[in-house]
Amino acid sequence: MGPDKEGKFGEFGGVFVPETLMVCLEELEREFQKARRDPSFQKELDRYDRLYAGRPTPLYEAKNLSKRLGGARIFLKREDLCHTGAHKINNTLGQALLAKRMKKRRLIAETGAGQHGVATATVASLLGFDCDIYMGEEDIHRQALNVFRMELLGARVISVKSGSRTLKDAINEALRDWVTNVRSTHYVLGSCVGPHPYPLMVREFQSVIGKETRREILKREGKLPNILLACVGGGSNAIGLFHPFFNDRSVKFIGVEGGGKGLASGHHAATLVTGELGVLHGSKSLLLQDREGQVQSTHSVSAGLDYPGVGPEHAYYQKIKRAQYVSVGDREALEGFGLLARTEGIIPALEPSHAIAYAKKIAPKLSKKSILIVNLSGRGDKDVELVSRIKNKK
Amino acid sequence: MNRIDVTFKALRKRKRKALVAFVTYGDPTPKVTERLALEFQNQGVDLLELGFPFSDPIADGPVIQRASLRALKHSVTLKNLFRSVKSLRKKGFLIPVILLSYYNPIFRYGEARFVKEAKENGLDGVVIPDLPIEESSPLLRHGRKRRFHLIFLVAPTSDAKRRRRIVQAAKGFIYYVSVTGTTGIRKHLPKDLTKDVRSLKRMTPFPVCVGFGVSTPEEAHRISRVADGVIVGSAIVRKIEEGMKERGLVERVGRFVSSLKKEVHR
């Protein structure tokens, strides 16, 4: 299941960073492996997960939605009910506790939709770290509410004006900060991307999603689900759901990428569907790039999916055909957003709205006995203003 | 023999230190880069470090980030860069040329093809800021075959174990990063820099050059007293940026480089 000693999943992953960071990554891996085996660390993380983040999250059968679509029974893994409103807190709690063990004083993070930034600012406040969050200027406009939340929590939000002014550039800037302040600072990377050990570490902390889901569905239904469905930007919520089912070969994994204005338009973020092998942000994976190896700008209505790279483990799952990856465009995602709100009284974030939209496509084709689980990775409060602006434009 | 080795050997004999001057290829245009290269040679620069612009330069500060953006507007390619170096060589450009590129453009080009064509067109080595020694074996292998040097960086944070490993694989010279951080102009360099360079030099017969944050002739002088070479990047690129819209850009940048050179050889 990987990764190997070099941090590789097959040909994907590895460590491609400036020499300045190498010793720090080695230390991070050592500390992570130690913590992973340390019962007191696990106990403390579990306590915060339960009493602070609100885990376990419900696995809710969306009967109205299932009935409306006809076909498969659809279950929602309610990560939107986590404290701070998304699955991101699972990872930031784990990494912040690790940073404490490593005696770091300061946390930095990148954020796209703002959810990871909020989750990092939250644990920084809880555990007493200084905190700086890098966010693309474009995303600051798209996700103004989350900017205010981060500031309320005591973090400083730094606007990134370079490049495409989105998630990719926020990661560049966070990496530059880390290279400069590596001795005092831990970089809380928010997705299963970046150099080893990040993809492994983020998977480990997010696997709580899949573990709970597996336990719960077996308990309630006495069988495994047929399909797991999750949106993929960098891919952390998807890997967290998929990974604990890796050996359950009957369970199909489907990851949904941001199709933006359509694959033919060139304005999309469908890295697994259309990308090619390359190296960005410290690891080898699929990448949206031009012939010269320059990274291309992406587009998705959802800031959290607007990223030209993807976690190396997803590239590996695709290569070995363990998972299938598809894309859903902006317009369909907005339909998914409205559909869930109207049928179930749940306003999803725009990111998992892509997964809802894909469920709408496939559920009618499945038998009434089959079980489809969608990871509802975050709630939609942050997107309400943006969606209303889009609707009013029409 | 590789031009880098020849140059350092000659410098050592004359007890001189090297000035390594950096420019981004294509900033402000590929033609101006070629003229700057020739001017640098005339002003006594010992090695030219040519930066290939990349969309996501994570090891660079704002000055070189902006230069990369300007260069990318001309859609420069590695092929263009090779062609430029080839034509410079025909015009009597003799000093070593080291490419500085992030890994992805080289990976995408194909490592074997990259080394072959770089060498054939008159380049002598490459520095890749996001390629640590752990991931470098294919390039090292191809480089060895064609005497094309992969230059490694050593950082202040590199521990003894990593330093030993890097020094063992080294070719050409060791690029010592003076500060933990990105490239760029700084008011002060770290106090223990001198000590650190001295101890690194004891570990290796290869020349040690210091880069990142060297911005004034005075600083260049101070570093040249301990190191075998001084690498100046952002300070030169900033002169290009400041004078871009005016006449006499090449001469003005040439004068700055000449002032650096005087201090390095003092």
Side-chain angles (χ1 to χ4, degrees):
Chain A
M1 268 194 283
D4 65 14
K5 247 173 44 202
E6 291 172 356
K8 296 258 170 71
F9 303 88
E11 67 191 296
F12 308 105
V15 181
F16 296 85
V17 295
E19 173 62 23
T20 307
L21 294 178
M22 288 302 294
V23 166
C24 179
L25 286 169
E26 287 168 8
E27 185 201 352
L28 182 59
E29 170 163 29
R30 252 191 333 267
E31 282 301 320
F32 168 65
Q33 297 292 4
K34 249 195 265 167
R36 203 179 183 186
R37 280 181 247 113
D38 179 351
S40 74
F41 178 84
Q42 293 299 344
K43 220 171 121 188
E44 193 178 11
L45 178 58
D46 180 65
R47 193 168 57 87
Y48 279 115
D49 271 351
R50 278 183 299 116
L51 303 177
Y52 188 74
R55 304 209 70 89
T57 57
L59 183 66
Y60 165 73
E61 183 168 6
K63 288 191 174 159
N64 298 338
L65 179 66
S66 307
K67 200 171 152 200
R68 166 74 75 87
L69 298 179
R73 292 169 68 192
I74 300 172
F75 289 73
L76 304 175
K77 179 60 174 166
R78 297 290 308 273
E79 292 299 298
D80 60 318
L81 293 177
C82 283
H83 178 44
T84 71
H87 71 293
K88 294 292 186 188
I89 190 95
N90 305 330
N91 172 46
T92 59
L93 273 172
Q95 285 200 42
L97 289 174
L98 199 59
K100 227 172 121 185
R101 282 170 76 106
M102 293 167 68
K103 307 225 163 14
K104 304 286 182 184
R105 296 186 309 272
R106 174 173 175 257
L107 300 181
I108 57 168
E110 83 294 344
T111 196
Q115 290 303 123
H116 175 58
V118 168
T120 304
T122 299
V123 297
S125 153
L126 173 70
L127 298 170
F129 290 97
D130 292 335
C131 183
D132 287 326
I133 306 291
Y134 290 94
M135 189 168 185
E137 195 182 34
E138 156 104 12
D139 292 336
I140 285 184
H141 293 307
R142 285 199 274 196
Q143 308 280 342
L145 178 67
N146 273 342
V147 175
F148 187 56
R149 288 170 77 198
M150 287 183 265
E151 286 167 353
L152 279 177
L153 292 161
R156 189 162 61 129
V157 180
I158 302 168
S159 169
V160 177
K161 295 183 173 67
S162 57
S164 59
R165 302 169 187 210
T166 59
L167 182 55
K168 164 181 90 96
D169 310 282
I171 297 180
N172 289 344
E173 214 47 48
L175 283 168
R176 289 181 188 119
D177 181 318
W178 201 32
V179 167
T180 309
N181 301 298
V182 59
R183 289 178 176 117
S184 66
T185 299
H186 174 68
Y187 178 17
V188 187
L189 196 44
S191 194
C192 54
V193 300
H196 179 67
Y198 280 102
L200 167 67
M201 195 163 65
V202 174
R203 177 186 86 191
E204 170 103 355
F205 294 136
Q206 291 296 359
S207 284
V208 66
I209 303 172
K211 285 179 195 156
E212 286 175 8
T213 304
R214 195 170 181 281
R215 204 180 308 132
E216 182 72 13
I217 198 79
L218 283 174
K219 196 171 101 192
R220 261 163 49 191
E221 300 296 327
K223 62 174 182 180
L224 288 166
N226 300 80
I227 297 177
L228 301 177
L229 200 53
C231 62
V232 176
S236 72
N237 87 82
I239 210 70
L241 178 65
F242 295 171
H243 184 259
F245 291 88
F246 186 87
N247 290 323
D248 302 318
R249 295 290 157 157
S250 66
V251 181
K252 191 175 174 189
F253 303 163
I254 303 177
V256 186
E257 298 193 293
K261 295 175 181 162
L263 300 190
S265 73
H267 300 285
H268 62 80
T271 308
L272 286 156
V273 177
T274 69
E276 288 170 273
L277 194 61
V279 174
L280 178 70
H281 296 151
S283 66
K284 191 181 282 180
S285 185
L286 294 177
L287 186 58
L288 294 173
Q289 56 184 326
D290 68 11
R291 276 181 53 196
E292 298 301 318
Q294 306 290 351
V295 180
Q296 284 177 321
S297 62
T298 52
H299 167 82
S300 170
V301 68
S302 130
L305 303 186
D306 208 348
Y307 182 61
V310 70
E313 193 166 356
H314 286 296
Y316 177 65
Y317 282 12
Q318 177 170 265
K319 177 116 185 192
I320 62 167
K321 300 195 162 65
R322 180 64 189 91
Q324 181 197 355
Y325 297 90
V326 298
S327 73
V328 153
D330 289 350
R331 207 166 37 89
E332 295 164 280
L334 287 164
E335 282 168 24
F337 180 87
L339 177 67
L340 194 65
R342 287 190 310 276
T343 53
E344 298 288 350
I346 298 170
I347 299 175
L350 281 173
E351 290 78 13
S353 294
H354 287 71
I356 299 290
Y358 198 73
K360 184 181 160 205
K361 276 190 193 174
I362 60 169
K365 296 179 200 152
L366 299 168
S367 84
K368 289 207 182 317
K369 277 192 194 144
S370 52
I371 294 175
L372 171 62
I373 298 178
V374 179
N375 196 7
L376 196 61
S377 55
R379 67 175 185 230
D381 308 43
K382 69 181 175 66
D383 295 312
V384 168
E385 199 193 324
L386 176 72
V387 173
S388 99
R389 252 185 289 165
I390 293 171
K391 288 211 158 155
N392 289 336
K393 245 197 262 175
K394 278 177 192 165
Chain B
M1 219 168 152
N2 185 300
R3 284 186 197 89
I4 299 170
D5 303 325
V6 175
T7 298
F8 278 107
K9 214 174 146 189
L11 285 166
R12 232 168 225 193
K13 227 176 183 168
R14 287 157 45 218
K15 292 205 164 64
R16 289 289 183 101
K17 303 300 174 73
L19 172 63
V20 185
F22 171 94
V23 285
T24 299
Y25 178 71
D27 170 37
T29 68
K31 278 280 158 257
V32 174
T33 304
E34 287 178 32
R35 285 174 52 213
L36 281 166
L38 288 166
E39 175 72 11
F40 285 5
Q41 174 169 276
N42 291 339
Q43 298 302 338
V45 165
D46 300 289
L47 294 92
L48 176 69
E49 191 185 359
L50 209 47
F52 183 68
F54 183 51
S55 52
D56 296 84
I58 55 162
D60 285 302
V63 173
I64 295 181
Q65 284 179 47
R66 287 197 298 271
S68 302
L69 275 180
R70 288 193 295 271
L72 283 172
K73 285 204 183 108
H74 304 291
S75 311
V76 297
T77 64
L78 277 171
K79 264 209 140 47
N80 299 148
L81 184 145
F82 291 161
R83 220 170 287 149
S84 281
V85 174
K86 191 175 181 180
S87 98
L88 280 169
R89 291 290 183 217
K90 279 189 188 145
K91 288 176 194 157
F93 189 72
L94 298 170
I95 65 175
V97 178
I98 303 149
L99 178 73
L100 184 134
S101 171
Y102 286 84
Y103 184 53
N104 197 48
I106 292 172
F107 175 72
R108 183 89 168 146
Y109 203 80
E111 287 160 297
R113 178 179 164 224
F114 164 79
V115 170
K116 178 171 178 283
E117 293 180 16
K119 184 76 186 182
E120 282 170 1
N121 286 286
L123 283 89
D124 305 286
V126 61
V127 182
I128 306 176
D130 59 345
L131 188 74
I133 189 157
E134 283 80 353
E135 299 284 355
S136 65
S137 39
L139 261 179
L140 275 174
R141 206 174 51 244
H142 298 303
R144 247 195 315 271
K145 260 194 309 215
R146 298 185 187 271
R147 293 204 181 131
F148 180 81
H149 293 343
L150 176 59
I151 313 280
F152 285 109
L153 299 112
V154 169
T157 51
S158 310
D159 58 17
K161 201 172 128 207
R162 293 195 62 79
R163 283 175 194 224
R164 270 196 300 276
R165 195 167 165 199
I166 292 168
V167 160
Q168 265 164 25
K171 289 273 178 223
F173 65 90
I174 313 263
Y175 189 134
Y176 182 77
V177 178
S178 69
V179 291
T180 57
T182 52
T183 59
I185 294 153
R186 284 177 180 78
K187 281 208 186 84
H188 303 287
L189 287 174
K191 281 203 194 80
D192 38 9
L193 178 63
T194 315
K195 215 178 81 197
D196 214 16
V197 171
R198 282 213 178 94
S199 86
L200 184 59
K201 282 188 63 167
R202 277 196 293 272
M203 292 177 72
T204 173
F206 283 103
V208 174
C209 299
V210 174
F212 278 48
V214 188
S215 38
T216 62
E218 296 72 43
E219 219 132 49
H221 173 68
R222 189 163 76 84
I223 288 168
S224 72
R225 289 170 60 179
V226 281
D228 301 291
V230 181
I231 307 166
V232 184
S234 297
I236 294 174
V237 173
R238 192 161 74 175
K239 291 277 177 226
I240 295 173
E241 184 169 52
E242 283 166 0
M244 224 159 27
K245 295 202 172 76
E246 293 156 41
R247 285 167 163 272
L249 168 70
V250 172
E251 294 70 23
R252 202 157 338 112
V253 178
R255 276 199 294 279
F256 176 63
V257 167
S258 156
S259 71
L260 290 169
K261 168 77 180 181
K262 275 189 202 115
E263 291 302 316
V264 169
H265 283 250
R266 192 168 71 180

